Amino acid sequence: GLPDGLSVLYNNGTFTISGTPTEAGVFPYTVQTTGLCGQTSIDGNVKIDPEVSGGNLTYSYTGTCSLASGTILLSGETGTILGWESSTNGTSWSAISNTTHSYDFTVNNTTYFRAKIDGGACGLSLSNAVLIGVHNLWTGTTSSDWNDGTNWSDGNVPSASCSEVVIPGGTPHQPTLGSGLATINNLDIKNGAVLTINNNASIQIAGTIANSGIFDTKEGTVELNGSSAQSIAGSTFKNNALNNLIVSNSSAEGVTITNALDIDRSITFGTNGKKLTTGGYL
């Protein structure tokens, strides 16, 4: 009754079971004596745990601008699901009390998920980790190129479909818009972050600029094209300097400068009738 791969050897009253099993399960065996002095037997079991495997995670989700929600499914694992784990950086993990094959999530930041499998005597194993992204959130995992989708949380270059673009500090690379036109609503540059606009690039901003880091526009072009009043506050731009400013705001108030601002090259208007109030700060 031994599993394939195991054999038994008798030597001087001792039976030794050895080898490398090729199948898992519980295998009952019997040792039976023969001879003229009567017969007896002893029974036992050989338990072979399956080789532990973390399995594979797949997911479906609805990504929104501030939240992403959906379901992750685990399949192909071997062993017992010990729990799930999550991480915002792929390095430090937190336990999730879930021992089922699926997990429903809602996140507002880049989040990794994985499952933890207990293989009994064969130890522990982890599934692959899946990354759930949020639109318009910079991660900078590949390079500093704004136009490379792999640098953004959900794999897509930002668009105006979401309320804001968030640039956090502490990412592997900080973003540079080196060419082309970026069109967004609100811009939020977090502490420690740096956003650079090069001389061949332009950024259209229809909403507000919240800047706790550095917004370097010394070479680039910024166009304010909102439909509600917009303002340029102190320290919006690095050294309070801007290369080119285009005023396309369609509101009656237009764009107002509320602190010292240096324009190094040009101020232009997107169409006739747009308004820029300098307040003496230009």
Side-chain angles (χ1 to χ4, degrees), residues 10-88:
Y10 174 75
N11 181 36
N12 194 28
T14 299
F15 287 90
T16 302
I17 299 172
S18 62
T20 301
T22 58
E23 56 181 331
V26 178
F27 300 88
Y29 64 84
T30 298
V31 177
Q32 176 72 52
T33 64
T34 61
L36 301 177
C37 298
Q39 289 78 44
T40 188
S41 64
I42 188 171
D43 299 323
N45 290 308
V46 174
K47 180 185 178 184
I48 306 298
D49 286 338
E51 183 176 2
V52 61
S53 171
N56 184 59
L57 294 182
T58 57
Y59 65 93
S60 60
Y61 82 106
T62 301
T64 66
C65 302
S66 57
L67 293 174
S69 60
T71 300
I72 307 173
L73 299 176
L74 171 66
S75 61
E77 86 287 352
T78 304
T80 302
I81 302 173
L82 193 62
W84 291 59
E85 295 179 329
S86 67
S87 172
T88 57

Side-chain angles (χ1 to χ4, degrees), residues 11-256:
N11 181 36
N12 194 28
T14 299
F15 287 90
T16 302
I17 299 172
S18 62
T20 301
T22 58
E23 56 181 331
V26 178
F27 300 88
Y29 64 84
T30 298
V31 177
Q32 176 72 52
T33 64
T34 61
L36 301 177
C37 298
Q39 289 78 44
T40 188
S41 64
I42 188 171
D43 299 323
N45 290 308
V46 174
K47 180 185 178 184
I48 306 298
D49 286 338
E51 183 176 2
V52 61
S53 171
N56 184 59
L57 294 182
T58 57
Y59 65 93
S60 60
Y61 82 106
T62 301
T64 66
C65 302
S66 57
L67 293 174
S69 60
T71 300
I72 307 173
L73 299 176
L74 171 66
S75 61
E77 86 287 352
T78 304
T80 302
I81 302 173
L82 193 62
W84 291 59
E85 295 179 329
S86 67
S87 172
T88 57
N89 56 20
T91 302
S92 302
W93 295 85
S94 300
I96 299 174
S97 298
N98 177 45
T99 57
T100 69
H101 282 83
S102 65
Y103 179 68
D104 295 328
F105 65 87
T106 298
V107 297
N108 60 3
N109 204 340
T110 303
T111 307
Y112 297 85
F113 292 95
R114 68 187 185 187
K116 193 173 185 178
I117 308 301
D118 185 1
C122 297
L124 301 175
S125 183
L126 297 169
S127 72
N128 62 306
V130 295
L131 173 63
I132 306 299
V134 179
H135 193 43
N136 284 11
L137 175 65
W138 174 263
T139 56
T141 54
T142 303
S143 67
S144 61
D145 186 0
W146 172 291
N147 292 312
D148 184 347
T150 62
N151 286 314
W152 297 92
S153 177
D154 67 345
N156 295 298
V157 175
S159 66
S161 63
C162 287
S163 63
E164 65 182 0
V165 171
V166 178
I167 313 296
T171 60
H173 305 277
Q174 289 293 294
T176 295
L177 182 61
S179 62
L181 173 65
T183 301
I184 66 173
N185 286 315
N186 302 309
L187 177 62
D188 187 1
I189 303 174
K190 300 295 188 182
N191 184 41
V194 180
L195 171 59
T196 303
I197 311 297
N198 279 349
N199 56 4
N200 293 320
S202 301
I203 186 169
Q204 288 180 334
I205 302 173
T208 60
I209 302 173
N211 183 15
S212 298
I214 296 174
F215 191 9
D216 188 349
T217 56
K218 184 71 172 177
E219 297 181 357
T221 298
V222 174
E223 181 175 0
L224 299 179
N225 65 336
S227 57
S228 300
Q230 292 176 280
S231 63
I232 301 175
S235 301
T236 295
F237 306 110
K238 181 181 179 182
N239 297 326
N240 292 326
L242 177 59
N243 192 33
N244 300 308
L245 174 64
I246 302 176
V247 179
S248 300
N249 186 285
S250 61
S251 71
E253 297 85 355
V255 176
T256 300

